[in-house]
């Protein structure tokens, strides 16, 4: 969802890292990037149960996509010496609190309202392109994956809370419910970036929570889901074997009857 936003801005900030006039002194750009990385992108790791499974490249990539941007901004926010030096007011010895604002309105503007506005633009453009301009293409080919199709497919397969919530207004309104739930999720997770940004302890706990959730989900997948998949696969294989065996026997009997008929006819 926010991969393009967070990834682009993260690369942009690193490209500007050596230009002191732009970064890291550009606190507004930093806070917008922070909101993307530690907002919806990070919380998707928990909500959508991303699993750290080392024998699955797809799952590893998914975990790293959602986890690493937040870890980068956690390191920059609290431990990066270049960043901390840039945040020192001139003439002071000890590290000062940052950003230098008397009220939290500045924080809410750049950690919540501006990123939310950017998300809203992205969501509207995505909806117009996918569900309006490309609608006929999607109707012709159900195999084409969109974010809605991918997430709803996983939710339906797991029959989880999100699938049940999206069906409150009926199957015909699942897309509308998906957009509504997505909006609520985005607003809530972006709002949480403000206290996370201000508290080192809360930020540490959040990092532990993200890593623990991915490890727990990975262990659950290896110990519960994979054995069930193996059992189901073996069950299907056994059923297919039982189906094919009578067919082979019937074919053999028909062949023997045909041979007997040929022998009688020849005699």
């Amino acid at each position: 969802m926010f991969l393009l936003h967070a990834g682009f801005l993260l690369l942009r900030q690193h490209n500007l890292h050596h230009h002191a006039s732009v970064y890291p002194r550009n606190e507004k750009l930093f806070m917008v990037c922070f909101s993307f990385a530690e907002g919806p992108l990070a919380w998707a790791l928990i909500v959508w149960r991303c699993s750290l499974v080392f024998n699955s490249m797809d799952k590893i990539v998914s975990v790293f996509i959602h986890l690493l941007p937040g870890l980068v901004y956690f390191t920059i926010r609290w431990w990066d010496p270049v960043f901390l030096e840039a945040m020192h007011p001139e003439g002071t010895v000890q590290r000062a609190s940052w950003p230098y604002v008397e009220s939290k309105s500045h924080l809410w503007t750049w950690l919540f309202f501006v990123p939310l506005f950017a998300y809203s633009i992205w969501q509207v453009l995505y909806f117009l392109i996918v569900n309006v301009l490309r609608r006929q293409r999607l109707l012709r080919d159900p195999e084409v994956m969109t974010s809605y199709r991918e997430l709803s497919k996983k939710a339906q397969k797991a029959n989880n809370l999100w699938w049940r919530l999206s069906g409150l207004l009926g199957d015909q309104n699942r897309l509308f419910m998906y957009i509504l739930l997505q909006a609520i999720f985005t607003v809530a997770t972006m709002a949480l970036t403000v206290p996370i940004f201000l508290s080192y302890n809360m930020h540490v706990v959040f990092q532990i929570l993200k890593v623990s959730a991915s490890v727990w989900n990975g262990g659950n997948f290896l110990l519960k889901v994979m054995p069930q998949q193996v059992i189901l696969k073996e069950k299907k294989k056994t059923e297919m074997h039982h189906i094919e065996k009578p067919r082979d026997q019937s074919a053999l009997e028909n062949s023997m009857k045909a041979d007997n008929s040929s022998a009688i006819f020849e005699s």
Side-chain angles (χ1 to χ4, degrees):
M1 179 181 59
F2 270 84
L3 174 60
L4 293 178
H5 293 303
F8 171 77
L9 291 174
L10 177 62
L11 291 174
R12 180 64 175 168
Q13 277 206 310
H14 277 285
N15 290 335
L16 297 175
H17 188 279
H18 299 290
H19 300 277
S21 61
V22 180
Y23 174 81
R25 297 183 186 277
N26 193 330
E27 63 181 43
K28 295 176 181 178
L29 176 61
F30 179 84
M31 285 190 284
V32 171
C33 295
F34 184 94
S35 180
F36 287 151
E38 290 290 61
L41 186 66
W43 281 98
L45 186 75
I46 300 171
V47 173
W48 291 107
R49 298 178 61 83
C50 295
S51 305
L52 187 60
V53 180
F54 291 104
N55 62 342
S56 173
M57 183 59 66
D58 290 341
K59 293 185 180 298
I60 291 178
V61 170
S62 179
V63 169
F64 285 171
I65 284 174
H66 293 88
L67 180 64
L68 292 183
L71 289 176
V72 170
Y73 279 96
F74 170 79
T75 304
I76 295 174
R77 171 71 177 95
W78 302 105
W79 292 341
D80 183 21
V82 176
F83 181 82
L84 296 179
E85 182 181 356
M87 292 302 108
H88 274 285
E90 294 183 3
T92 62
V93 178
Q94 296 182 350
R95 172 186 168 190
S97 61
W98 181 84
Y100 315 125
V101 289
E102 296 180 359
S103 67
K104 293 183 180 179
S105 61
H106 185 71
L107 287 177
W108 278 98
T109 298
W110 293 100
L111 283 172
F112 180 72
F113 291 109
V114 172
L116 185 62
F117 178 73
Y119 163 80
S120 301
I121 294 177
W122 171 83
Q123 184 68 78
V124 170
L125 292 175
Y126 182 88
F127 180 83
L128 290 176
I129 294 172
V130 174
N131 295 93
V132 178
L133 298 179
R134 306 286 291 176
R135 178 178 176 80
Q136 296 302 322
R137 169 78 169 87
L138 293 175
L139 292 176
R140 288 195 304 268
D141 190 356
E143 296 299 322
V144 175
M145 281 293 107
T146 63
S147 62
Y148 167 70
R149 285 183 175 180
E150 180 69 19
L151 294 176
S152 61
K153 180 181 178 181
K154 291 181 178 179
Q156 182 181 15
K157 185 177 180 180
N159 193 26
N160 56 23
L161 175 64
W162 305 109
W163 178 252
R164 294 192 290 271
L165 287 176
S166 66
L168 289 177
L169 300 181
D171 289 339
Q172 69 277 10
N173 293 314
R174 283 191 183 275
L175 179 59
F176 170 76
M177 286 298 297
Y178 169 77
I179 295 174
L180 179 61
L181 291 172
Q182 184 72 50
I184 295 173
F185 169 78
T186 303
V187 171
T189 54
M190 281 189 172
L192 286 172
T193 60
V194 177
I196 289 174
F197 183 84
L198 291 173
S199 172
Y200 174 77
N201 292 334
M202 184 177 291
H203 207 172
V204 170
V205 170
F206 187 45
Q207 303 309 308
I208 296 174
L209 177 63
K210 289 188 294 183
V211 175
S212 300
S214 61
V215 172
W216 175 269
N217 293 333
N220 184 70
F221 180 84
L222 291 173
L223 297 177
K224 291 184 178 180
V225 178
M226 284 190 67
Q228 291 176 356
Q229 291 178 346
V230 172
I231 293 173
L232 184 62
K233 186 177 180 180
E234 291 296 326
K235 185 178 179 181
K236 288 183 177 180
K237 187 184 295 184
T238 304
E239 291 176 352
M240 291 298 297
H241 179 71
H242 288 317
I243 293 174
E244 291 175 356
K245 189 174 181 180
R247 288 180 179 176
D248 294 340
Q249 186 175 359
S250 177
L252 180 61
E253 291 176 355
N254 292 334
S255 177
M256 292 177 63
K257 288 180 181 179
D259 292 340
N260 292 335
S261 299
S262 299
I264 294 172
F265 179 77
E266 290 175 357
S267 61

